[in-house]
Amino acid sequence: MGFRHGKRRHFGVTVVVLVALLAGLFPGTAGIGSAASITSTELRPFPQHVTYTAGTIKPNHVTQTQMDAEVKLLYNEYKKKYIKQNPYNSNQYYVWYNDGGWNGDAITVSEAHGYGMMITALMGGHDSQAKTLFDGMYRYFRAHPSSQSPDLMAWQQANRNGSIVDINGTNSAIDGDMDIAYSLLLADKQWGSNGTINYRAEAIKVINAILNSEVHPVHYHLQLGDWVQISGTNPDYRNATRPSDFMLQHLKEFYQATGDARWLLVINTTYNIIEDVYASYSPSTGLLPDFVYRDTNGKYKPVSQFTWNTPDGYFLESEFDGDYNYNSCRTPWRIGTDYLVTGNNRAQQQLTALNQFITAKHDEPWEVWSGYSLDGQTKLSPWDGGMDFTAPLMVSAMISSNNQQWLNDLWDYHTNASNPTALEWNYYYGNSIRLLSMIVASGNWWTPTGAN
């Protein structure tokens, strides 16, 4: 099926790249930037210091220079640990995601790959190897197409019998595809599209494939992957969508890049789902569920509102599919970024309710639960303070000066002045989300067109 995969981690500046063999410096990444001299021009080098929507905030107890430095240090550690060269093809790179060993012999998924491509495009100028790594990730993506939609990525790979192969289905997951498409739009603005890779043209190919294969053709909600439209299963996953995929700012850039008016329908539908689910199921918390489902009356509801005829009785991944869990922990970052960048206030009430709920319930970031029922009363796991649940709250906190102290506390919690470069052990998911959230919180998330 391609999605019941348990990937949820239970737990202008011109630079000349003088590359060397880095096996000793970066264990497991031998040969990053093979022995060659490459010239690249960063048009939007890190840091960018973007001005977000009026009235929004950033951490105000540290300087901009300090924030930039923290992001650089964390990126350097992320690069060392997670960006790997394909041992069988030196022109390809991927993002290793199985440091916790939660996923058998799998080495990566398209979700991780999308994160890595966005991160390297944004960090060009700081990292002189960023273009080399990005291009290698692009080539890896193209080497692993979905069997259903060749311009999308097969969602999971493993290193088996002397080659990297697709496993557990050769179809796609929409979150990775959306981030890959967005990263290619970033690359077009960062390095231009007149080189070996026409980033913009490749982005449009992926964007069109997402629209044709991962968006409901009638109701215009985002679907889970390209396997959905041909699944013919019970449940009918064609009616499902996932709030952690509600990358509204991505969607607006997709419309700008293609001019396809169907993207406007997708954007409107996505806002409508946020507004309706929040108003009906979590008005006092602003929490959104991992998965929602379109009922026969046209209303989108948490999947916990239905009974599922599946072997385990779960909708897709676990008994918490209808709760705020390891998927939706990303929604404060995904939805909050849209408000910061575009100023569209259609999700502002939901984000405000979320901020108010979290700050009323918890005094310190380390107290934040790793999973909540939508009413905020039931704790879903024994762990508190997980990076995947706390880092996105930095982004949602930025929407109002009412959250200034909470934002400052979250920044400190995730930088830890005594050890600012440390990555959490065995925690790809949280480490990746933290870095992306800190890029936003430091004012360094820029967009291809500034679409609103």
Side-chain angles (χ1 to χ4, degrees), residues 176-193:
D177 296 327
M178 291 179 69
D179 282 339
I180 289 168
Y182 186 79
S183 77
L184 288 163
L185 293 176
L186 291 174
D188 171 59
K189 298 301 182 182
Q190 184 69 277
W191 297 297
S193 290

Side-chain angles (χ1 to χ4, degrees), residues 15-292:
V15 296
V16 178
V17 183
L18 301 175
V19 287
L21 296 177
L22 300 175
L25 291 176
F26 302 119
T29 57
I32 282 187
S34 56
S37 180
I38 303 169
T39 301
S40 64
T41 300
E42 273 73 31
L43 303 175
R44 298 187 180 183
F46 183 91
Q48 281 293 291
H49 303 160
V50 175
T51 299
Y52 296 140
T53 295
T56 60
I57 60 173
K58 293 191 296 184
N60 67 358
H61 65 309
V62 288
T63 67
Q64 183 66 61
T65 299
Q66 288 172 315
M67 287 192 286
D68 294 342
E70 295 282 7
V71 173
K72 291 175 183 178
L73 288 167
L74 189 58
Y75 167 77
N76 293 345
E77 293 298 306
Y78 170 90
K79 174 183 171 181
K80 283 194 292 185
K81 183 172 184 180
Y82 294 116
I83 299 181
K84 306 292 185 180
Q85 188 175 45
N86 183 340
Y88 314 111
N89 187 329
S90 61
N91 286 324
Q92 294 179 11
Y93 297 92
Y94 65 90
V95 176
W96 181 50
Y97 91 126
N98 202 7
D99 54 349
W102 320 120
N103 298 284
D105 65 348
I107 59 169
T108 194
V109 283
S110 59
E111 165 203 277
H113 209 72
Y115 290 165
M117 291 181 73
M118 288 195 301
I119 288 167
T120 50
L122 291 165
M123 297 303 296
H126 162 64
D127 182 6
S128 61
Q129 290 184 307
K131 186 177 187 299
T132 298
L133 299 177
F134 184 93
D135 289 355
M137 290 182 195
Y138 165 79
R139 288 187 286 267
Y140 181 96
F141 149 63
R142 282 301 184 195
H144 296 278
S146 166
S147 60
Q148 302 298 329
S149 311
D151 283 317
L152 305 179
M153 184 174 175
W155 77 276
Q156 188 180 50
Q157 289 81 48
N159 188 342
R160 294 180 180 175
N161 302 317
S163 63
I164 293 179
V165 297
D166 300 327
I167 61 172
N168 295 323
T170 57
N171 38 44
S172 72
I174 193 174
D175 56 342
D177 296 327
M178 291 179 69
D179 282 339
I180 289 168
Y182 186 79
S183 77
L184 288 163
L185 293 176
L186 291 174
D188 171 59
K189 298 301 182 182
Q190 184 69 277
W191 297 297
S193 290
N194 294 323
T196 304
I197 302 169
N198 186 329
Y199 301 119
R200 181 172 176 81
E202 295 303 310
I204 290 173
K205 290 179 185 178
V206 182
I207 292 166
N208 289 338
I210 294 169
L211 185 57
N212 292 325
S213 300
E214 295 181 321
V215 171
H216 196 288
V218 177
H219 305 310
Y220 292 100
H221 62 251
L222 300 170
Q223 297 183 310
L224 307 179
D226 63 3
W227 57 274
V228 170
Q229 293 186 9
I230 62 169
S231 61
T233 58
N234 183 16
D236 184 351
Y237 291 107
R238 291 174 294 186
N239 290 323
T241 189
R242 185 170 67 153
S244 60
D245 299 330
F246 291 178
M247 309 171 202
L248 285 148
Q249 188 240 318
H250 283 28
L251 298 177
K252 294 169 184 178
E253 293 290 345
F254 295 170
Y255 169 67
Q256 292 292 322
T258 64
D260 193 322
R262 289 177 293 174
W263 283 116
L264 298 178
L265 299 175
V266 179
I267 293 165
N268 187 57
T269 296
T270 303
Y271 277 125
N272 285 341
I273 296 171
I274 294 170
E275 292 169 332
D276 291 348
V277 172
Y278 152 65
S280 298
Y281 298 99
S282 57
S284 63
T285 66
L287 298 168
L288 298 176
D290 272 11
F291 298 95
V292 300

